[in-house]
Amino acid sequence: MSANILVNDLRCESLQNPIGIDTKQPQLSWKLIAKRHGVLQSAYQVQVSKTITWDEFVWDSGKVLSDNSIAVKYVGQALESRQRYFWRVRIWDENDSPSGWSMVAFWEMGLLNPNDWAAHWIEPEQDAAKPEPPINMFQNLGTISPQPDADYARLNPAQYLRKEFSAQKTVAKARIYATAHGIYQLSLNGARIGDIELAPEITAYDSYLQYQTYDVTKMLATGKNVLGAILGDGWYRGRIGLPGDSCQYGDKLALLLKLEIEYEDGSRETIISDESFKSSTGALVYADLFIGERYDATLENTGWDRLGFEDSAWKNVNTANFGYNNLVAQYGEPLRIVQEIKPVAIIKTPNGETVVDLGQNIHGKIRMSVQGTTKTEIVLDHAEMLDADGNFMQQIRGRNKDQRDVYVCKGEDVEVYEPFFTTHGFRYVRITGYPGEPTVDDFIGLVIASDLRESGSFTCSDERINQLQENIRWSQTGNFVSIPTDCPQRERAGFTGDAQVFIPTACFNMDVHAFFTRWLRNLQIEQREDGQVPATVPYWRSYIEMFTPIQGGAHTSAGWGDACIIIPWTLYQSYGDERVLAENYATMLRWLDYVRQEAESGIPERLGELSADARERQKHLWNTGFHFGDWLIPSLTGGYSNPFDAANATKEVVASAFYAYSTELMTQIAAVLGKEDDEQRFAELNEKIRSAFAKEYLGDDGSLPAHYQGMYVMALKMKLMPAEMRLPVTEQLVGLIAENGYRLDTGFVSVPYLLDVLSENGRQDVAYKLLFQTQCPSWLYEVVRGATTIWETWDAIAPNGEVTLASFNHYAFGAVGDWLYRHVAGLDKAQAGYKHIVIHPHPDEHLTHTKATYQSVYGEIVSGWELEDGLLRVDAKIPPNTTATLRLVGANGQLVASELPTTQSGNDLLVEVGSGTYRFEYPYSV
Ligand code: BGC
């Protein structure tokens, strides 16, 4: 009997049909589609073959009794370089009825061995870039691009490379494997290859440099062809990070490339990067990833990327021996233009300037159409904000933050310019020198981000909250750019703290499984010998130089380094992937070992002589050293003017709280991985930290010496008190919030837990009040002020209208998104990967309806509620191969008996269900 189930959405390493991967035992997943309710998988069979005719299997799992459909590890024959593998799946349902075979999917391997390359790294003849002198931006926070013009003179030209070759027979398959020092774009016979941006992206290049694989089968001509490449500075030698230093990884651009052609007759041909390539500079006079680029179309080497171009005047390239050991296949989704935005207006500002308004703050670039006479120079300056008077302003801290692109017209009909190797964080573009009057049709905003699949949506009856959700999503798009960046204009650095704060929200909005898996692999690489996990990953030299002096030589901070535990744990929770825990386990242990040593050896000086008891207790408190604390608490830092005040006032409590939290998570991680000794050890340590904390810091009235909202939030979240003290601690928190006029006063690391600890401790009313607050500081204050992204500081536009030097695209405070999905709409889980789902809406008087959707690894989950005429309607959708508890708030005694098994829990009714859609309706008042 057939199970009437469709097996679909086959994914390999969370991607559909990836090419050029190098995971030796890829993880496979699929979803089930069925009309009926209560579908479960009881067994599966996976078949993998080199041929689509299934002549021979490299792996046939046979019927495996298992409900695993989300992370099935390939355990067949060793996978071979370049080989494409076809695969299909069938399953058996809970009645042991089989499904049919799924549609066929595939993955294709990249180059698995260094020997496969046999290409040379080539460097165009070029002047080595001169490193910029370091400048400690944390001590120069007011600096804004001091000498733009002088700086431009020191920027480097892009390099163009070309090679002609012939492919004489009919091509069956052709692949290019390529990477660069710098960023690169390839072309074949004048056409751009692929649509990915800023390859090879940013990773810890010295040990992890990605190469990309391109299918160029259809682009090759029979006969002569010409391969072109352009190289720009990118992260490799451009001016990156807050300090804006150049040459982080090297001072010369280079290319590594291999084209492999397979002809229909079975013969092969290979073109490699070698001395036969020619190189030149060209129209890209300079191209810096952050500052901007200058494209002088009059300098174009017309036809350089096509056949027959006379390149005898071009320079040679030199081969260089950088080896292949740091090469890794692109893992996860590449960067792409993920959206195009038409401007909403062209503004004439009060001081007479022309400014394009995209209506949305983005990360990306602008495409411009222009018709001008030869040498007409158009300057495009990018900014996130206009000032209080509506004039264009440059408001990004740091040197080298100009965000200025310049286009010099060739003098043709209509010319279209789109920057190659630069991106900006902006909503507004000031246009200077444009011939005639530009219109909105002359510009398009191009949003550049890692091309992640949208996985969630949250909507409700309040448009301001919907806008908040939109702003969160936009800040995620603007900052999930190869790595999770702090902001897309000033620093673009992979701040570990920001990432851990935001990851639960990120997992709802988009499929970030592969994205974070890759970043964590880089985190492992960047972990210091002594276990410290740096504040940024990758850990650029400029950050080492900037941070270590202010951090007393340290490289990390509580809440930042803990990302190595919190992030894998959250990924495991969201995607059910145990491998991510196993892969990062050694890093976690080393991190906690570092923290333990710091805690045991460091005793705050102010304590003086200690009793034996107190000394013992101090061992379990991580209360010394540098920390960012509850970064950017508004009442302490006054915007960004003194960020370290909040850090200093809160670091003791924050560091000990994270020590407790990370050991708590480690207890659970060790349990998942079956490491019983560690589980036991961390459980004991966690207990000791929590009781030491309570003894050291907690007053009888529930007060803490650092009397700030965030500290109570942390204490409650990390359970740093005996159970009977939860109430007084909650009262302290609520007291502070009330004193502050129901406005929040939390920094980066406490904000994710603020609304949770209130609602979990009986004060959902206060949580909702904070959510709906519109006075500064609050989430809706930003919305009311017209924000289209999440700001770095709550008062980035001060209540008096002043536009400050903060970033307007920092996702950290958007961490509330998780609570919207999970608490307001009630889309939650009781088992990793949403294997067991909990639907638990929390209606409130501020709203009449909400709906959350989430594309889980098992399929779509929906949780929604609507309150109308005293009736509460709850809608739920549960995907196959999962089960769910629907927790119907206030339904006990109200619901007409359902056929489904129910239990009572206080005023609520719990209904146990399998897959399917469900609707319940019952009298309810808020
Ligand atoms: C970044 C942050 C970061 C903080 C603390 C700032 O410059 O923009 O978001 O977490 O430094 O290191």
Side-chain angles (χ1 to χ4, degrees):
M1 196 184 91
S2 133
N4 274 330
I5 293 173
L6 214 66
V7 182
N8 86 332
D9 199 13
L10 274 61
R11 286 174 186 266
C12 171
E13 294 292 320
S14 31
L15 300 182
Q16 280 175 337
N17 302 335
I19 68 165
I21 66 165
D22 63 3
T23 311
K24 305 232 165 75
Q25 292 188 298
Q27 291 198 144
L28 307 175
S29 68
W30 54 86
K31 294 186 183 122
L32 310 182
I33 299 185
K35 283 222 170 79
R36 63 183 176 79
H37 281 53
V39 170
L40 292 171
Q41 172 187 302
S42 62
Y44 68 80
Q45 180 176 15
V46 176
Q47 289 184 333
V48 184
S49 173
K50 289 185 189 174
T51 62
I52 200 155
T53 43
W54 310 107
D55 306 329
E56 201 184 317
F57 298 116
V58 291
W59 185 41
D60 183 346
S61 69
K63 183 175 178 181
V64 180
L65 297 184
S66 163
D67 63 354
N68 184 4
S69 59
I70 59 168
V72 172
K73 196 206 244 177
Y74 171 86
V75 286
Q77 291 171 22
L79 297 171
E80 297 162 22
S81 285
R82 310 173 181 86
Q83 181 64 49
R84 178 172 288 204
Y85 293 93
F86 298 93
W87 66 291
R88 61 182 179 184
V89 185
R90 63 175 166 164
I91 66 104
W92 285 259
D93 70 4
E94 70 286 0
N95 302 315
D96 205 29
S97 299
S99 70
W101 285 105
S102 66
M103 300 262 281
V104 177
F106 66 82
W107 76 82
E108 186 178 301
M109 303 307 285
L111 303 180
L112 301 182
N113 315 302
N115 294 346
D116 291 332
W117 277 94
H120 302 282
W121 274 100
I122 51 174
E123 288 181 338
E125 279 183 7
Q126 63 194 292
D127 292 334
K130 289 183 192 57
E132 299 300 311
I135 157 170
N136 193 328
M137 282 312 308
F138 266 130
Q139 280 148 16
N140 293 278
L141 276 174
T143 319
I144 296 181
S145 293
Q147 291 175 302
D149 295 337
D151 276 356
Y152 290 142
R154 296 204 297 269
L155 294 172
N156 316 296
Q159 296 290 332
Y160 293 70
L161 295 103
R162 72 186 305 277
K163 178 186 167 71
E164 294 193 14
F165 64 94
S166 54
Q168 291 305 355
K169 297 180 263 184
T170 315
V171 176
K173 176 181 170 186
R175 297 284 182 271
I176 287 181
Y177 306 95
T179 188
H181 288 169
I183 37 185
Y184 72 95
Q185 247 183 45
L186 302 178
S187 63
L188 201 49
N189 304 320
R192 180 167 165 191
I193 297 177
D195 59 355
I196 66 178
E197 297 279 328
L198 309 179
E201 307 195 12
I202 175 62
T203 44
Y205 288 153
D206 294 336
S207 337
Y208 192 110
L209 173 61
Q210 296 190 109
Y211 66 87
Q212 286 70 35
T213 303
Y214 305 87
D215 181 350
V216 290
T217 314
K218 297 209 175 91
M219 295 180 80
L220 274 179
T222 308
K224 286 201 150 187
N225 288 271
V226 58
L227 193 62
I230 318 176
L231 301 176
D233 288 357
W235 293 272
Y236 188 83
R237 74 166 186 182
R239 301 178 178 197
I240 58 176
L242 177 59
D245 298 10
S246 59
C247 301
Q248 300 286 316
Y249 292 96
D251 57 11
K252 282 190 175 172
L253 303 176
L255 175 73
L256 177 70
L257 176 145
K258 187 175 199 196
L259 163 61
E260 294 190 348
I261 308 172
E262 215 178 286
Y263 293 112
E264 273 186 354
D265 65 6
S267 59
R268 289 166 183 275
E269 192 150 2
T270 308
I271 310 296
I272 54 168
S273 45
D274 62 10
E275 280 114 341
S276 65
F277 277 64
K278 301 283 269 185
S279 74
S280 171
T281 54
L284 269 171
V285 180
Y286 57 75
D288 186 88
L289 180 63
F290 277 50
I291 305 178
E293 64 183 40
R294 179 184 180 89
Y295 190 92
D296 185 341
T298 65
L299 300 178
E300 274 174 3
N301 294 303
T302 311
W304 73 275
D305 51 0
R306 294 187 179 270
L307 280 180
F309 176 78
E310 176 46 52
D311 65 12
S312 55
W314 279 37
K315 291 182 177 164
N316 291 326
V317 301
N318 302 315
T319 57
N321 186 9
F322 297 115
Y324 312 103
N325 287 336
N326 61 342
L327 299 182
V328 182
Q330 166 90 32
Y331 186 83
E333 300 83 349
L335 288 165
R336 287 204 175 88
I337 294 172
V338 295
Q339 197 173 330
E340 301 196 351
I341 299 187
K342 193 172 166 180
V344 291
I346 301 226
I347 305 169
K348 268 272 178 263
T349 61
N351 64 13
E353 294 176 329
T354 305
V355 172
V356 175
D357 178 6
L358 285 186
Q360 175 62 52
N361 196 18
I362 67 165
H363 167 259
K365 54 189 180 182
I366 197 119
R367 183 187 293 147
M368 170 180 74
S369 305
V370 59
Q371 187 169 9
T373 50
T374 310
K375 292 238 171 257
T376 304
E377 189 167 313
I378 301 137
V379 179
L380 307 166
D381 285 307
H382 301 68
E384 295 189 295
M385 294 301 297
L386 300 180
D387 70 14
D389 300 325
N391 284 315
F392 185 85
M393 74 185 286
Q394 213 295 54
Q395 49 79 238
I396 307 173
R397 287 169 204 283
R399 88 182 149 166
N400 306 332
K401 300 296 176 283
D402 300 354
Q403 304 209 108
R404 167 178 291 184
D405 298 335
V406 181
Y407 183 75
V408 181
C409 293
K410 200 170 183 176
E412 278 178 352
D413 227 13
V414 174
E415 298 171 45
V416 178
Y417 168 61
E418 171 185 327
F420 287 72
F421 297 132
T422 193
T423 59
H424 307 294
F426 69 104
R427 166 176 169 170
Y428 301 97
V429 187
R430 178 175 60 193
I431 312 289
T432 317
Y434 193 93
E437 275 303 308
T439 72
V440 285
D441 297 326
D442 297 318
F443 302 93
I444 293 181
L446 306 173
V447 181
I448 296 180
S450 291
D451 193 4
L452 307 177
R453 189 169 49 109
E454 301 253 337
S455 57
S457 68
F458 173 89
T459 48
C460 68
S461 50
D462 190 307
E463 281 311 320
R464 299 166 308 169
I465 301 287
N466 293 340
Q467 184 64 44
L468 170 65
Q469 162 64 17
E470 270 299 284
N471 295 357
I472 295 169
R473 206 188 53 79
W474 270 110
S475 277
Q476 181 164 354
T477 304
N479 283 296
F480 279 41
V481 178
S482 182
I483 54 172
T485 63
D486 58 333
C487 51
Q489 5 57 17
R490 184 183 70 211
E491 304 188 41
R492 314 189 196 182
F495 274 97
T496 44
D498 305 36
Q500 70 83 1
V501 163
F502 188 66
I503 188 176
T505 301
C507 287
F508 269 122
N509 289 330
M510 294 172 202
D511 180 354
V512 297
H513 189 179
F515 176 86
F516 270 112
T517 300
R518 175 182 67 225
W519 184 71
L520 285 169
R521 289 176 182 161
N522 282 269
L523 183 150
Q524 291 158 26
I525 291 166
E526 299 288 33
Q527 184 172 34
R528 313 291 292 183
E529 277 291 297
D530 62 359
Q532 291 191 66
V533 171
T536 60
V537 170
Y539 198 25
W540 298 327
R541 193 198 66 229
S542 59
Y543 277 92
I544 303 182
E545 284 166 359
M546 180 176 71
F547 278 140
T548 43
I550 50 169
Q551 294 179 172
H555 299 270
T556 193
S557 155
W560 272 250
D562 296 282
C564 73
I565 294 173
I566 298 169
I567 291 183
W569 178 246
T570 312
L571 292 179
Y572 168 68
Q573 287 297 322
S574 293
Y575 304 110
D577 175 16
E578 271 183 44
R579 185 184 65 183
V580 79
L581 297 179
E583 247 184 50
N584 289 284
Y585 196 67
T587 301
M588 302 176 192
L589 289 178
R590 287 175 57 210
W591 163 249
L592 274 183
D593 218 40
Y594 163 78
V595 176
R596 185 184 51 75
Q597 284 176 37
E598 287 291 298
E600 285 178 0
S601 61
I603 295 177
E605 270 173 27
R606 65 178 160 74
L607 293 177
E609 276 299 300
L610 289 178
S611 67
D613 199 30
R615 182 170 295 277
E616 181 57 29
R617 181 163 78 231
Q618 280 296 322
K619 276 184 167 177
H620 303 303
L621 296 171
W622 188 21
N623 51 7
T624 49
F626 170 86
H627 297 286
F628 291 116
D630 199 9
W631 186 245
L632 300 184
I633 294 182
S635 65
L636 282 173
T637 47
Y640 205 91
S641 41
N642 222 340
F644 290 100
D645 283 1
N648 290 331
T650 58
K651 60 185 184 183
E652 264 196 63
V653 170
V654 167
S656 291
F658 272 106
Y659 190 20
Y661 191 46
S662 279
T663 51
E664 180 190 334
L665 296 185
M666 276 308 271
T667 310
Q668 300 179 58
I669 292 168
V672 173
L673 297 179
K675 300 186 185 292
E676 282 160 24
D677 291 352
D678 285 348
E679 183 187 349
Q680 176 82 13
R681 173 162 71 94
F682 285 117
E684 283 165 14
L685 183 54
N686 174 259
E687 184 57 48
K688 286 182 184 151
I689 298 165
R690 292 193 295 118
S691 76
F693 183 97
K695 281 210 187 79
E696 186 73 26
Y697 297 118
L698 195 65
D700 292 341
D701 55 354
S703 63
L704 290 169
H707 188 53
Y708 303 104
Q709 292 181 16
M711 301 308 95
Y712 296 100
V713 171
M714 305 289 288
L716 287 163
K717 168 71 186 173
M718 281 69 174
K719 310 185 189 86
L720 304 174
M721 70 212 66
E724 67 277 10
M725 290 302 288
R726 290 193 81 79
L727 186 60
V729 173
T730 307
E731 276 166 4
Q732 292 284 349
L733 171 61
V734 172
L736 276 173
I737 294 171
E739 266 170 41
N740 205 35
Y742 289 91
R743 292 168 308 159
L744 44 70
D745 191 31
T746 38
F748 269 36
V749 295
S750 64
V751 82
Y753 316 119
L754 172 64
L755 301 188
D756 265 317
V757 300
L758 287 166
S759 40
E760 279 164 13
N761 290 284
R763 296 313 302 266
Q764 176 172 289
D765 58 327
V766 179
Y768 270 112
K769 243 181 170 156
L770 283 175
L771 180 64
F772 283 92
Q773 175 62 263
T774 54
Q775 299 297 308
C776 185
S778 69
W779 286 285
L780 290 191
Y781 168 74
E782 300 187 6
V783 171
V784 171
R785 286 280 175 164
T788 61
T789 38
I790 301 293
W791 303 342
E792 176 180 26
T793 56
W794 298 108
D795 51 359
I797 297 180
N800 67 7
E802 186 206 343
V803 180
T804 70
L805 298 189
S807 143
F808 284 83
N809 205 350
H810 247 73
Y811 50 58
F813 289 146
V816 69
D818 170 53
W819 196 77
L820 297 178
Y821 279 96
R822 194 166 40 74
H823 189 87
V824 180
L827 198 160
D828 203 354
K829 58 187 163 312
Q831 246 182 55
Y834 294 83
K835 182 75 176 144
H836 188 79
I837 295 158
V838 176
I839 299 292
H840 186 187
H842 290 88
D844 175 80
E845 60 187 356
H846 294 87
L847 294 168
T848 54
H849 63 86
T850 67
K851 183 177 179 187
T853 68
Y854 175 62
Q855 191 58 243
S856 76
V857 281
Y858 292 100
E860 192 181 49
I861 306 171
V862 177
S863 177
W865 58 265
E866 183 159 6
L867 200 55
E868 206 184 349
D869 301 332
L871 281 182
L872 180 66
R873 189 163 63 235
V874 176
D875 281 302
K877 182 174 173 192
I878 308 300
N881 206 19
T882 67
T883 52
T885 302
L886 314 182
R887 187 176 187 111
L888 302 172
V889 51
N892 192 10
Q894 306 262 13
L895 255 198
V896 198
S898 132
E899 283 165 22
L900 299 157
T902 57
T903 47
Q904 300 161 4
S905 170
N907 290 331
D908 303 345
L909 195 71
L910 310 185
V911 189
E912 300 302 326
V913 300
S915 63
T917 52
Y918 302 91
R919 166 168 287 189
F920 296 93
E921 204 167 34
Y922 54 94
Y924 185 85
S925 62
V926 284

